Amino acid sequence: MKNTQLPVSAQPEIGLLDLMVTLADNCKLLILGPLVVGLITLAITFAWPQTFESVAIVEGDQTTVSVMTSTAVLDPMIISLGQNKDETLQEARRALLYRIKAVLGRDKLVTLTVRDESPKRAQATAHMLLAATYEQMRPRGTKKIRIERSLVEANSRLENSQLAAAALQKIFVSSHTKGDASRVSGTELPRGYSDLLAASGGAQTQVLELEADLEGMTDSQLVQAPTLPDKAVSPKKGAIAVGATLASGFLLLLFVFIRNGLRSSAADPVSAAKLARIRSALSLR
């Protein structure tokens, strides 16, 4: 008995030429479609509000960053700017925090960035934030009293050491003038004078440090004043338009190949039956 083989329907194979034909048939859609989408997106981005950034750099530490974003600094600013008229203080604070960024670098420099739709408002807000931070970081209460007392004591030590050094200098000069060999040859007088000069220098350094602590944070620690931005940082119109163009081109290309595949499948009886079952299951008759 001879084995009888049933004819198998030949499945259409998609080659490179078929893909090129599909692209050629839909070239206008694939070229003009993404271009139109890109131009429309570019036009829409021009209607979006722009955002500008003012940047300031100040010497500080993590405490400075914490104070800049604290309620003690932000709440008076919100009230001063009148930003709590249409919303609660908590909502206004959250909105202001969203526009403020303070980062501490490894070089002990704090970079403050303030964003706003107006470049002048961004710069003004940065100035206000710095001024409020200066005020908040100044010593007050018992801490201020302790620093003032220490400063008085340091000034007294500085004055005494300077007077003693001046007296020893007069004695040293006088001994040289009179030719007193016993005094000139000794080492106690020069050594005492040197010790007094070192004590005077240490007292002067302490006075300067206490004065700086009492004054608190000022513009003298400002490395870069808040800038006046002349170029918006967002929206990036070109990048958005290019992204929309590429995305729409990919979607249109996918649509063209799917549509072409469905048309080819409709010509095959087996594939047509499967498509009919899919439409029936999805109620797409």
Side-chain angles (χ1 to χ4, degrees), residues 153-163 199-201 203-204 207:
E153 295 173 359
N155 276 319
S156 178
R157 288 194 298 270
L158 175 61
E159 185 178 357
N160 292 335
S161 61
Q162 288 176 341
L163 290 174
S200 176
Q204 188 171 11
V207 167

Side-chain angles (χ1 to χ4, degrees), residues 22-24 26-35 248-254 256-257:
T22 302
L23 293 176
N26 299 274
C27 62
K28 290 184 179 180
L29 176 63
L30 295 175
I31 295 175
L32 296 180
L35 287 178
S248 60
F250 174 77
L251 292 176
L252 285 175
L253 184 64
L254 188 62
V256 165
F257 282 122

Side-chain angles (χ1 to χ4, degrees), residues 52-58 101 103 110-115 119 122-124 126-127 130 222-229 233:
F52 297 86
E53 287 185 352
S54 177
V55 180
I57 302 175
V58 63
K101 183 180 180 182
V103 178
V110 178
T111 302
L112 172 65
T113 305
V114 179
R115 295 181 296 171
Q123 186 186 43
H127 277 295
L130 287 173
L222 196 61
V223 178
Q224 175 182 298
T227 58
L228 180 62
V233 295

Side-chain angles (χ1 to χ4, degrees), residues 8-258:
V8 180
S9 61
Q11 297 293 331
E13 296 182 358
I14 300 177
L16 179 61
L17 189 60
D18 296 322
L19 296 178
M20 294 179 64
V21 170
T22 302
L23 293 176
D25 291 339
N26 299 274
C27 62
K28 290 184 179 180
L29 176 63
L30 295 175
I31 295 175
L32 296 180
L35 287 178
V36 171
V37 172
L39 291 175
I40 293 175
T41 305
L42 184 62
I44 293 175
T45 56
F46 277 99
W48 291 356
Q50 294 181 317
T51 301
F52 297 86
E53 287 185 352
S54 177
V55 180
I57 302 175
V58 63
E59 297 176 357
D61 50 21
Q62 190 59 44
T63 302
T64 309
V65 175
S66 301
V67 171
M68 280 183 177
T69 55
S70 65
T71 57
V73 170
L74 298 179
D75 289 357
M77 284 182 56
I78 293 171
I79 296 173
S80 177
L81 295 172
Q83 296 179 346
N84 61 327
K85 293 181 179 179
D86 300 329
E87 53 188 358
T88 64
L89 185 61
Q90 185 176 3
E91 292 173 344
R93 188 189 306 130
R94 190 181 300 112
L96 184 58
L97 276 173
Y98 178 76
R99 299 191 293 111
I100 293 174
K101 183 180 180 182
V103 178
L104 175 64
R106 296 182 179 179
D107 48 4
K108 296 296 182 182
L109 295 178
V110 178
T111 302
L112 172 65
T113 305
V114 179
R115 295 181 296 171
D116 202 289
E117 296 178 4
S118 167
K120 291 185 177 180
R121 275 205 310 268
Q123 186 186 43
T125 303
H127 277 295
M128 290 182 64
L129 185 62
L130 287 173
T133 303
Y134 296 163
E135 181 64 28
Q136 193 64 29
M137 293 193 69
R138 287 193 180 98
R140 58 189 68 188
T142 56
K143 183 179 180 181
K144 182 179 180 182
I145 294 174
R146 287 198 304 269
I147 295 176
E148 289 175 343
R149 288 176 179 173
S150 299
L151 182 59
V152 171
E153 295 173 359
N155 276 319
S156 178
R157 288 194 298 270
L158 175 61
E159 185 178 357
N160 292 335
S161 61
Q162 288 176 341
L163 290 174
L168 279 180
Q169 185 179 20
K170 287 181 180 180
I171 296 173
F172 189 71
V173 173
S174 177
S175 64
H176 269 280
T177 303
K178 295 178 180 180
D180 191 341
S182 63
R183 290 184 179 180
V184 174
S185 60
T187 59
E188 293 182 1
L189 185 61
R191 185 181 302 157
Y193 181 69
S194 177
D195 292 341
L196 284 174
L197 287 180
S200 176
Q204 188 171 11
T205 300
Q206 187 180 17
V207 167
L208 294 176
E209 291 177 352
L210 289 171
E211 287 178 346
D213 291 340
L214 187 62
E215 188 179 15
M217 196 172 180
T218 63
D219 278 338
S220 61
Q221 296 169 266
L222 196 61
V223 178
Q224 175 182 298
T227 58
L228 180 62
D230 56 357
K231 187 177 181 181
V233 295
S234 66
K236 299 185 181 299
K237 302 180 180 66
I240 295 175
V242 170
T245 301
L246 294 176
S248 60
F250 174 77
L251 292 176
L252 285 175
L253 184 64
L254 188 62
F255 165 75
V256 165
F257 282 122
I258 291 176

